[in-house]
Every structure is written in structure tokens, then in C-alpha cells.
Amino acid sequence: MELSVSLTVNGRRYDRQIEPRLLLVHFLRDTLNLTGTKIGCDTSQCGACTVMLDGVAVKSCTCLAAQADGSSVTTIEGLAPDGQLDRVQEAFWEKHGLQCGFCTPGMIFATKALLAANSNPSAEQIRHALEGNMCRCTGYQNIVRSVQAAAAAGAR
Amino acid sequence: MATTVAAPARIFGSGIKRREDPRLLTGTARYTADITLPGQLYAAILRSPHGHARIKKIDTAAAKAAPGVVAAFTGADTEGVLQCIPCAWLVPGSELKVCPYPPIAKTIVRYVGDAVAVVVADSAQQAYDAVDLIEVDYDPMPATVDPEQAVKPGAPQIHTEAPNNIAFKWTVSGGDIEAAFKKADIVVRDRIIQQRLIPTAMETRGALAHYLPATGELTLWNTTQNPHIVRFIMSLVCNIPEDRLRVIAPEVGGGFGSKIPQIQGDFITVFCSMKLGRPVKWIETRSENYQSTTHGRDHVQDVEMAATKDGKILGLRCTVWAGMGAYLSTAAPGIPTILHGLMLSGPYQIGAVKEDVYGVYTNTTPVEAYRGAGRPEATFMLERVIDRLADELKIDPVEIRKRNLIPPFDNGHDVVTGLKYDSGNYQGALDKALTHAGYAALRNEQAEARKKGRYIGIGVGIYVEICGLGPSQVAGAVGFQGGLWESAIVRFHPSGKAHVFIGSSPHGQGEETTFAQIVADELGVSVGDVKIVHGDTETTPMGWGTYGSRTTAVSGAALAVATRKIKEKAKLLTSHLLEAAVEDIEYENGKFFVRGFPDKSKTIQDIALMANVAWNMPQGMEPGLEATTFYDPPNFVYPFGAHIAVVEVDAETGVVQLKRYVAVDDCGHQINPMIVEGQVHGGVVQGIGQALWERAVYDDNGQLLTGSLADYAIPRADVLPDIEVLHTVTPSPHHPLGVKGIGEAGTIVSTCTVYNAVIDALEPFGVESIQMPLTPERVFNAMSKKGP
Ligand code: FES
Ligand code: FES
């Protein structure tokens, strides 16, 4: 049995027939070929798959594509459509907030969610807000600096 | 009016932003899992649920009949097609027993995760669904998982070729160890469990293989740190000539050693593509990754140190049981031996050492290099027993180290294990760390806190590491089945832009930037005009890969030498074009000019154009502006440093809070300090992970109990302080750029530094050792047993 879903992803509407069990992350990666969203685990721990779903940061491996029917999703591909980095991306670049880059798309959305709720977070608040996003390369310190720099640049 | 123009800041040494980042920040980078080819199929691997069992029967009929399934294969199908997986570090003099490691198990499974069968289907989901339909009849056998227990009489035997499960026994000794212990006023001992760790690169492993039956050519996209080694080994195992094999390491999401070896899944994916003549992709799930990708550490160490009563170390003697897992992974035997035993004396003047290392087969996932590989285990042992010695003699741990450190040297120092360290100033690094941390004040603070029932601990760790692996002749002498040189090609195009092709394969360390800085610094081009190409055996020259903190040290040296060849040719061409003697041509800031006539000059761009059009070349000079270097280092490089950790232990709960962490590292000259600092952060945190949280746990049957990211605790952002990063600079005397390596430094010393701090905090309780990781439960129990 297949389901029809309709999602707006990065401003574009997609109507697709999907298997009911299809996860949002697989819908994005395999159905739409938006591979910027990463998969780092199978237990909803790592946060690599974090995207914006109707303005809220969600781990897209915890959500069925069918549940997102009618929703609007922003993935990493939607942040700099014309190649112009947004402020959070710019701050991660500036502060060396990434090494291998695998956790980065998820980190960027976790950052956006934090800054939307708190435009000027302390280092401790940042560390707390990122506890659901794992990075094995950076030791997090430059990610914290990146978030601070993004906040200082007025990123929301 | 005269204006003064500030000299442009030197590009070598400046912390410029990374060139690789825009593609990573925008999701445009392509990792192996992101690549899809037309007609691609997906492989899912059935893995053993038993630590040790005989396979009685496998039935794939139901799987083959499942929707979307194209094929299913078992070990029997690989007979005569795939060779066993080779071990590539055959440590000499160790009676090494390399037992057959089939890419798919045929009769016996030896660890949970051992591959048993594979299903190939139109979609990944169909492949996973069908794998569940394979029926395997197992006859479970007793398992053994602890390297010390596995060698005892009566332990289950894993391979008939390796009695008592001993894969090898290796000994290193230097100086007169018996005399050292005879002379000693004091001997301190410890038993250290270097627990097994799971590397957990955020990208799991995977492969995409595309075999073309018509030509016999295979292209393999692989999550690897060393595509050229993959090609070499893959050609041997799958019998595809190297000239028909192209290996691509696309974007790679971290490795930390776990992407050095070729693992079963790589060969299985290639096998499936060869069988089916279609592209086949296999990507590990994280839980699969925890079983099938290599682990690290896993030592049981008995160590004793002999010293005089004023704290002068006389000798170090130890026995190590190093778990190898069920099979020997690519580099595994070299890790607890060459990379461990030879570093036993660390930064200290120790006249005698002896170590016996037993490499032991156990029913666990094979072990490989994991960030630091052998050196963290050696550093921990040494730094731990020094603290024990300080404690026994009531000498401050800093003072006792000072009494034993090797004095500063800048061009070679022979140590007892036979190595020649290149340069070092251990005292300098220690002093800087002490001053920055405010060591004396910290001790006062600790004393005050104790009066109030608060337990602060201060840990010190000093290290020297062997990296920049290494001279190929030495590699051969210690049994490494390959070379350890690197290569670089610098190619200038007519417009003055350059491509650089390197054989090593960075995967997060930023060499696309630092290597462009090397070229920019040597030849005066802008960083943006130099593109570094790596990770494709079809376009890059041979190289041995990115691990062992060797890429900047070895590959960077190759590049520096190649740029200097370009410079020499440019001088010759300039002298011809300007009709001046070549001895009179000077170079400065991107310009070649006649001495005394700075206006009579050519830029590197002019030269690139003239060399490429070749309208006016000197007699005998070939057209083009390109240079190739194969660089085999004359020695290893030996970075070092001193770290200090401050912790507070909650006496009510046993929770360890890391309050401060000071890292002083010396990797010689730094090409990009921002990137160096990032390496230190990441390395330190990985080592802290071992001290406080991480441990792979097997039960007695060989079940991996920490089989997912939900059960295995890697460090998270909210449990860490900022690392205070400082440096000293002691250039390597033999390196063309005076650089060393920095990738592993933090991990090598932070585990013992934090551990020492916790034990220091618990001094009032008389706690001398706790097994890692130092979880609240373990710390609390240790405190309660003793009481303040
Ligand atoms: S993939 Fe790890 S949380 Fe979604
Ligand atoms: S940058 Fe590699 S996992 Fe975060």
C-alpha cells in the first residue's frame, strides 16, 4: 500500500507516492535526492539528520514522511540557494566549526533552533542546546564559538 | 611623500578559513552514501548473532524470493573468487599467526558481526527486509572475550592455527632491566585496563562498487583514509589487476583509524558488483558499524617501575595482553608493538625498559588503529606509574617529572628502545602549562577545598609521540607490508593557477587549505589559485594514506620539495627570458628578478604562461611547469607536549566534573594555527571520552552490549569545558618545513591527564586506581570502599 504525500521542501512542493514506513530522512535523501541531510545513527542519538520542519528543528529519522504530509521542510540545501551562505553557515566557516563536515548540517539547524528561541545564548546554554547533536571531530569548542559568532552577527 | 606599507603577513602560519568548508556547509559535498549510480542495487549483510558458532546450514531461498531481491550470496559463493583478507603488518620475531579471515564466514563465525550472507535488492529497504528471511542454523560454541583470560589453559580455542589464542608474542628491551630493578630503592606497580573503544566516526563505513564486465574494470567509492592501499589490497583479494581498479575516497566523514583497514563489507560489495555486473552500494547502519568496523585499544597491562628514593626512574617493565579481536585487521599487530613498545620511555631518561606483548585472539570485533594507536596506551602506562611513584615518595608529581625529563635537544636524541627522537623541549612545554594553569595556586585551592569537603584534583600528563610514519626502510624492517613515503605533483596551468595532486587522503583535517598555504608561501601565488586534489587513485600519484599524524609531516614535505623544484625551473626560465645569469636570479614574494634590478622581473604567473606556451625555452628545457616528488622521510617526527587537567569529584554522587583543561602542544612550525587548534580540541576530547565515558562491553558469550549509539557514550557538548590551547615551537630538524604532526597528540595524553586528576582528587580516600571509564558508579564505589 502506498500513500500520497505532499511536502514543501526548500520552498518547492513535491507530491509523491510513498511507503507508509518511509522515514522523513529517507524521503529527503532517497526520494528527493537531497543528500545534504546525513544519517549518523539508527537510534535517534546523533542529530546528523536534523532539519527544520515547520520552523522547528527535528531529527528527520524520528519522523515518518507521512507525518510530515502538508508540512514545510528546510534542509541544508535550502539555506544558501544562490550560493550566498547564511549567517550561521558563515559563522561556522569563520570559527572553524567543522572538520569532516558530517555533523554540520544537523549542527546548523540545531543552532538555528536555539537562536530562534534565544538570540544571545551563553556558552553553557549553547552546549546544553547542542547535547542532542554529536560531533566526533571538533570537540565542540569551535562549534560553540560558531554559535556565539552567529548570534553576534544577528543570526536568527 | 613616503608611505610605509606593512609587509604582507606570511601565509604560512596564518589561520585562514578552510577552502573545503563551503561545500560542507551547504550540503553539496558528496560522501559515499550520497552517491547514486543508474541501475544501482543495494546490499544488506547478514551478520552473526553469536560470538562463536559453527554454521550448520544456511537457507537463502526465502530471501531470494522476496520482493525486489536480485541475489543472495553466502561464503560458499565466494569460494575461488575472493581470497582471505590479508594482514599487512607482519611484526618480525613475534611468531605471528595470521589465521584465515574470509570476507564471508564459511564454516565458523568468530565474533558477533562476522558476515554470513548478503542480499542484493533494488532498494535498501528490500535488502534489509530480505536479510531477515535468511535462515541460518548455528551450533553455538563457548566464546572468550578477555585478552588475558583467552590465553589461559582451558579457554575456548578460536583458531586451530593459533594455540592458546596467541596471535603473536613480541618483546622489546633496552638497557639492563634486571640491574635496574636490583638497584632500585622502590618499585611501584599497577595493573591498567586500557578498555576497548569504538571509534565512532560520525559517518559509518560503506562502499559503492561498479564493475564493468565488458572491460573488467571496477570503480570503488569507499569510506577510506587510504585509497591507494585499498586498491592494492582489493586487487589481491578480488583478483582485479590494479590498472583496472579505481578507488575513490569521496568526502569522508572522519576516520580516526577505523577507515584504514578494508573490512568484510568492502569486499562483499565488490564481490556482488562483480557477480551482477551492476553498481552495488552498501552503507553500514550505526549498529552494524559497531559490530563490523574495527575497534581500538583493549589492553590489559601489568607494569612496574623501578626508581631511587629521590625519584630517579631506573627502569620500566611490563607485560601486555593486547586483544586483537577474532582476526588480525590490516595494521593491528603493529599497534601494541612498534607504535607502543618503542615509545615506552616517553619523554624521560629511563635507562632500561622491557615489555612483553601478547597479541591475543578473542571472539570480538577486530581491533585496528584508533586515534593515537598504541601511543596513548604507552603514555598512560608511563604517566600513571610516575604518579604512583610520586605518591609513594611524597614528591610532587610535577617535581618528579622534572627530575627525569630528557633535557632540551634540537637535533637528535637516542632513547633506550633504539629510536632517535628528532627534537624536543619537554621542560619548556611543561613550564608553559604550569604557568598558564597557575599550578601552585591550584594546589592551594585544592588544599582549601579539601578542608571544606570538596575534592578537587589536578592531573599532569607529558607525552612525546612518534608520528610522520615514516622511513620506508624502517617500515620494511618492522614488518609493514608497504612503504610509508608520500608523493605530490604540482602542475601550473598557463593562467598561473595550479593543481596539486597528492597521494594521501585527508578526511576532515583541512589539508586542502594548509597544502595550498604551502604552495602559496613557497611560490607567491594566492591560496585561492591552488587546488589540492586527493582521494582518487586514477588522478593522484601513489601514496600510503592519512593516519598516524603523517599527512602534513610526510605528504606536506613532498609538496614542499615539489614546489622548490618548480622554483628552480622558474629561475632557469627567468634567466633565459631576461638574458641574465641564473646565479643572478633571485626570488622574493612571487617574483623572480635580476639581483640589483628588482624591476627586471617575472612573476610565477609569467613563468607559468611562458613555460606552457614554450615559445622561447632555453636549449634542452622541457615545456610545462610541473614537478613531481616522491618523499621518503629520513626519520619520524616526534611532537610532544604537557597537559594539565583540573577536576572536581562530587563525594555524594561520584560524578567527575572536568573544570579546566590546559593543553600545551609542540608540533613544530604551524602552517595554520586555527586548524592546529581544532585538531587539539578534537583529539583532547576523544581522549577524555576514554577516561570518563567510553567502553565497549562484551558479555561472556561475545555479545556486544554497547551495540549502538544509545549504549556507547561518546562525549557530548554539554559535558565538556573549553580546552585552553597553547603551544611551544620546536621545529623538526629534518623536515623541509620544520613541521611535525598534530592529529593524535591530544588523544595520546588527555586520557591519562584526566585520569591522574581524578585519582589526585581522591587522594584523601586512599584510592589508587579505578578502571576506566571513570563513571560516577565506579568513582563512588571506590571512594566508599576506602572513605576519607
Ligand atoms: S540519524 Fe542520528 S539522530 Fe537521526
Ligand atoms: S565535523 Fe566531523 S563529526 Fe563534526
Side-chain angles (χ1 to χ4, degrees):
Chain A
M1 190 195 70
E2 299 226 314
L3 287 177
S4 320
V5 292
S6 167
L7 279 83
T8 303
V9 181
N10 300 331
R12 202 176 135 192
R13 187 180 148 152
Y14 296 90
D15 299 305
R16 292 288 188 276
Q17 297 288 317
I18 59 162
E19 270 195 73
R21 62 174 172 172
L22 187 70
L23 296 174
L24 178 58
V25 67
H26 290 130
F27 178 78
L28 295 169
R29 286 180 54 84
D30 302 338
T31 309
L32 303 187
N33 203 25
L34 293 169
T35 56
T37 302
K38 300 298 176 219
I39 299 174
C41 72
D42 44 11
T43 50
S44 303
Q45 244 79 35
C46 76
C49 62
T50 307
V51 298
M52 282 290 177
L53 179 67
D54 293 329
V56 180
V58 300
K59 293 180 174 178
S60 60
C61 73
T62 61
C63 165
L64 294 168
Q67 291 173 300
D69 186 22
S71 295
S72 171
V73 178
T74 307
T75 70
I76 193 72
E77 289 91 345
L79 285 191
D82 51 1
Q84 185 68 41
L85 300 185
D86 92 343
R87 285 176 183 168
V88 175
Q89 291 171 311
E90 198 64 68
F92 270 72
W93 193 12
E94 195 67 49
K95 296 296 175 192
H96 190 26
L98 61 152
Q99 290 182 22
C100 80
F102 200 80
C103 69
T104 311
M107 286 289 179
I108 285 176
F109 284 111
T111 302
K112 286 184 157 297
L114 167 65
L115 295 181
N118 177 354
S119 62
N120 187 22
S122 66
E124 203 185 325
Q125 289 170 323
I126 295 169
R127 285 182 177 276
H128 196 68
L130 296 179
E131 70 184 4
N133 289 71
M134 292 179 175
C135 173
R136 195 58 155 165
C137 299
T138 64
Y140 303 101
Q141 190 158 332
N142 283 341
I143 293 178
V144 175
R145 287 180 184 164
S146 302
V147 179
Q148 287 170 323
R156 294 290 173 273
Chain B
M1 210 178 80
T3 51
T4 45
V5 182
R10 193 179 163 195
I11 189 74
F12 185 107
S14 61
I16 59 168
K17 291 194 290 187
R18 299 200 319 170
R19 305 193 60 215
E20 37 277 86
D21 287 358
R23 67 172 188 267
L24 300 170
L25 285 163
T26 52
T28 19
R30 289 279 175 272
Y31 300 79
T32 300
D34 304 336
I35 299 165
T36 299
L37 299 178
Q40 175 180 299
L41 301 170
Y42 295 81
I45 296 171
L46 180 69
R47 297 184 177 279
S48 167
H50 298 287
H52 199 191
R54 191 171 297 280
I55 301 172
K56 292 200 319 211
K57 191 167 153 262
I58 307 182
D59 183 354
T60 58
K64 281 179 172 155
V69 171
V70 175
F73 302 108
T74 65
D77 297 306
T78 66
E79 199 64 56
V81 186
L82 295 183
Q83 303 302 310
C84 280
I85 302 173
C87 173
W89 203 332
L90 309 179
V91 175
S94 69
E95 293 173 50
L96 185 69
K97 312 274 190 316
V98 181
C99 301
Y101 184 4
I104 304 182
K106 289 171 192 162
T107 51
I108 294 177
V109 287
R110 295 186 169 87
Y111 64 98
V112 167
D114 209 350
V116 173
V118 57
V119 172
V120 188
D122 289 328
S123 78
Q125 207 50 63
Q126 288 168 329
Y128 285 122
D129 288 347
V131 146
D132 290 341
L133 302 175
I134 298 176
E135 278 178 39
V136 188
D137 200 358
Y138 291 104
D139 205 353
M141 299 192 278
T144 181
V145 298
D146 177 292
E148 190 189 15
Q149 298 307 320
V151 301
K152 296 206 167 139
Q157 298 294 295
I158 301 173
H159 298 279
T160 45
E161 302 87 340
N164 302 317
N165 299 316
I166 296 177
F168 60 84
K169 186 197 169 196
W170 181 83
T171 298
V172 60
S173 65
D176 189 342
I177 194 73
E178 299 299 333
F181 274 79
K182 211 170 277 166
K183 219 165 69 193
D185 300 320
I186 178 171
V187 173
V188 287
R189 298 191 171 81
D190 204 358
R191 151 157 284 230
I192 294 163
I193 312 290
Q194 280 283 332
Q195 79 270 32
R196 176 182 278 256
L197 302 176
I198 306 183
T200 319
M202 290 318 299
E203 179 203 32
T204 61
R205 291 201 55 155
L208 167 58
H210 188 193
Y211 183 72
L212 298 173
T215 60
E217 289 173 317
L218 182 107
T219 304
L220 175 67
W221 288 261
N222 197 203
T223 56
T224 177
Q225 302 174 217
N226 30 252
H228 289 276
I229 294 185
V230 174
R231 183 178 58 181
F232 186 23
I233 293 182
M234 197 57 74
S235 80
L236 299 175
V237 173
C238 305
N239 199 23
I240 302 173
E242 273 183 287
D243 61 303
R244 311 243 169 114
L245 237 171
R246 175 180 186 181
V247 178
I248 299 172
E251 212 71 66
V252 176
F256 315 112
S258 74
K259 291 172 182 168
I260 296 173
Q262 278 69 76
I263 57 175
Q264 288 179 318
D266 298 328
F267 301 107
I268 293 170
T269 309
V270 168
F271 171 79
C272 292
S273 183
M274 288 171 73
K275 278 284 192 194
L276 301 171
R278 287 174 66 181
V280 176
K281 179 149 83 178
W282 159 73
I283 302 294
E284 283 177 338
T285 63
R286 175 60 65 190
S287 304
E288 183 182 13
N289 170 263
Y290 272 19
Q291 298 179 358
S292 85
T293 286
T294 49
H295 294 175
R297 314 276 192 267
D298 199 16
H299 286 195
V300 176
Q301 306 172 329
D302 271 335
V303 50
E304 51 183 351
M305 178 178 270
T308 64
K309 59 180 178 307
D310 51 4
K312 186 85 192 87
I313 303 167
L314 299 172
L316 184 72
R317 185 160 57 190
C318 32
T319 304
V320 171
W321 292 268
M324 292 286 107
Y327 301 97
L328 294 178
S329 179
T330 311
I335 295 160
T337 53
I338 309 304
L339 295 177
H340 172 78
L342 298 183
M343 292 308 295
L344 275 189
S345 61
Y348 304 107
Q349 308 181 67
I350 302 180
V353 298
K354 179 163 191 285
E355 182 181 50
D356 293 313
V357 181
Y358 296 88
V360 183
Y361 287 112
T362 58
N363 293 111
T364 57
T365 295
V367 162
E368 235 318 315
Y370 170 58
R371 202 167 190 169
R375 291 148 289 169
E377 299 93 313
T379 303
F380 191 102
M381 186 191 276
L382 188 53
E383 289 301 282
R384 189 58 220 134
V385 282
I386 287 184
D387 262 25
R388 292 291 282 262
L389 182 64
D391 197 39
E392 290 287 328
L393 294 174
K394 304 281 170 259
I395 300 175
D396 183 89
V398 167
E399 174 56 29
I400 205 157
R401 285 172 169 80
K402 285 185 176 172
R403 288 183 197 175
N404 290 285
L405 283 176
I406 298 167
F409 58 99
D410 56 19
N411 199 6
H413 177 87
D414 294 309
V415 297
V416 65
T417 54
L419 297 174
K420 189 192 262 310
Y421 295 173
D422 59 346
S423 60
N425 183 356
Y426 312 130
Q427 181 73 53
L430 177 60
D431 288 342
K432 192 161 188 175
L434 294 170
T435 308
H436 178 84
Y439 184 72
L442 284 172
R443 286 286 174 211
N444 289 335
E445 198 184 313
Q446 176 184 44
E448 286 306 311
R450 273 186 193 167
K451 287 182 203 154
K452 298 182 196 128
R454 285 176 50 215
Y455 300 97
I456 290 176
I458 303 153
V460 181
I462 309 180
Y463 73 97
V464 54
E465 61 151 322
I466 181 171
C467 74
L469 316 177
S472 299
Q473 198 186 359
V474 178
V478 299
F480 185 68
Q481 302 296 295
L484 282 171
W485 48 268
E486 284 301 328
S487 59
I489 298 171
V490 179
R491 178 178 302 156
F492 270 86
H493 305 299
S495 61
K497 318 283 183 205
H499 265 108
V500 169
F501 303 88
I502 54 170
S504 55
S505 194
H507 43 280
Q509 299 89 343
E511 274 89 356
E512 289 176 37
T513 306
T514 48
F515 280 20
Q517 287 178 267
I518 293 175
V519 179
D521 183 63
E522 294 280 340
L523 294 171
V525 294
S526 98
V527 165
D529 287 347
V530 185
K531 169 150 187 184
I532 311 296
V533 180
H534 59 83
D536 183 346
T537 59
E538 206 83 335
T539 55
T540 64
M542 177 70 191
W544 294 91
T546 290
Y547 45 81
S549 304
R550 66 187 298 277
T551 305
T552 303
V554 187
S555 199
L559 177 56
V561 174
T563 59
R564 288 168 194 178
K565 287 183 185 170
I566 295 270
K567 200 183 268 179
E568 287 316 306
K569 181 166 183 176
K571 277 187 181 171
L572 283 171
L573 186 50
T574 303
S575 87
H576 174 72
L577 294 170
L578 296 179
E579 297 174 352
V582 70
E583 307 78 61
D584 292 336
I585 304 298
E586 295 205 342
Y587 169 83
E588 215 179 287
N589 289 333
K591 274 196 178 148
F592 299 86
F593 57 93
V594 182
R595 184 175 307 116
F597 301 91
D599 293 342
K600 279 191 89 176
S601 69
K602 297 281 175 197
T603 63
I604 185 76
Q605 289 81 5
D606 298 332
I607 296 298
L609 179 62
M610 291 312 288
N612 274 295
V613 297
W615 291 332
N616 182 9
M617 301 293 276
Q619 188 81 42
M621 182 183 280
E622 291 176 5
L625 190 59
E626 175 163 333
T628 301
T629 293
F630 293 86
Y631 181 86
D632 203 351
N635 188 4
F636 302 91
V637 288
Y638 294 88
F640 59 89
H643 290 200
I644 294 176
V646 183
V647 301
E648 179 161 354
V649 178
D650 186 330
E652 306 278 302
T653 61
V655 169
V656 174
Q657 194 203 351
L658 183 56
K659 295 171 80 79
R660 279 185 74 191
Y661 196 95
V662 175
V664 177
D665 296 286
D666 192 321
C667 58
H669 293 307
Q670 299 185 6
I671 301 168
N672 185 319
M674 178 190 79
I675 288 177
V676 169
E677 192 186 354
Q679 289 294 312
V680 173
H681 291 163
V684 164
V685 167
Q686 264 177 325
I688 294 171
Q690 177 176 6
L692 298 182
W693 304 294
E694 296 182 36
R695 178 181 169 223
V697 184
Y698 281 93
D699 74 6
D700 290 344
N701 298 319
Q703 287 302 326
L704 178 61
L705 302 181
T706 51
S708 79
L709 253 182
D711 312 294
Y712 184 85
I714 69 165
R716 292 184 326 224
D718 57 333
V719 290
L720 294 159
D722 274 359
I723 316 293
E724 300 162 51
V725 180
L726 296 90
H727 298 283
T728 56
V729 176
T730 308
S732 172
H734 66 73
H735 190 280
L737 299 169
V739 306
K740 297 188 176 179
I742 193 64
E744 296 162 296
T747 313
I748 286 169
V749 73
S750 65
T751 308
C752 64
T753 304
V754 170
Y755 186 97
N756 282 347
V758 174
I759 300 296
D760 184 58
L762 300 182
E763 204 227 80
F765 298 84
V767 174
E768 289 175 342
S769 98
I770 310 175
Q771 276 188 25
M772 291 188 288
L774 303 175
T775 56
E777 184 193 2
R778 288 178 176 190
V779 172
F780 182 80
N781 286 340
M783 284 192 293
S784 323
K785 239 179 257 160
K786 308 265 183 166

